[in-house]
């Protein structure tokens, strides 16, 4: 199967974001801050492909049984949803 230019563009963007996050995190000796940098890089990769009514954030998710998840690195949500808390 032949790769499309669009696929190659997305793959290059992800690769560049990962490299940038790795470069910034290499001198940081703090797992939490390293994770934050990688989460920001992931957000920068995803958001350009979303319409303006969607955003990317981090947080916890409450399911239909009212159970709270662990921290989630990337949550894609619709900005008009009432359950989103900043």
């Amino acid at each position: 199967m032949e790769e499309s230019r669009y696929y190659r563009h997305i793959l290059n963007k992800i690769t560049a974001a990962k490299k940038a996050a790795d470069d910034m995190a290499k001198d940081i000796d703090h797992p939490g801050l390293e994770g934050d940098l990688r989460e920001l890089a992931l957000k920068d990769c995803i958001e350009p492909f979303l319409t303006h009514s969607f955003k990317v954030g981090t947080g916890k998710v409450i399911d239909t049984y009212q159970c709270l998840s662990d921290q989630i690195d990337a949550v894609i949500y619709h900005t008009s949803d009432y359950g989103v808390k900043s």
Side-chain angles (χ1 to χ4, degrees):
M1 180 178 196
E2 185 177 331
E3 291 181 1
S4 69
R5 289 186 324 175
Y6 185 66
Y7 173 81
R8 178 57 45 196
H9 171 74
I10 293 171
L11 191 59
N12 288 341
K13 186 163 182 58
I14 292 169
T15 301
K18 181 180 180 328
K19 183 181 179 332
D22 288 344
D23 289 346
M24 286 187 287
K26 72 181 176 186
D27 295 325
I28 298 173
D29 189 25
H30 189 282
L33 292 176
E34 288 179 28
D36 289 347
L37 286 171
R38 288 185 172 84
E39 288 169 11
L40 288 171
L42 178 62
K43 178 181 176 180
D44 288 345
C45 281
I46 296 171
E47 277 193 334
F49 299 101
L50 301 175
T51 63
H52 294 289
S53 58
F54 287 91
K55 297 287 182 193
V56 179
T58 63
K60 296 185 176 192
V61 176
I62 301 172
D63 67 18
T64 57
Y65 300 105
Q66 301 303 305
C67 295
L68 188 64
S69 74
D70 292 334
Q71 177 74 20
I72 303 204
D73 292 344
V75 177
I76 300 172
Y77 61 93
H78 195 275
T79 56
S80 68
D81 286 346
Y82 296 103
V84 174
K85 295 183 180 180
S86 298

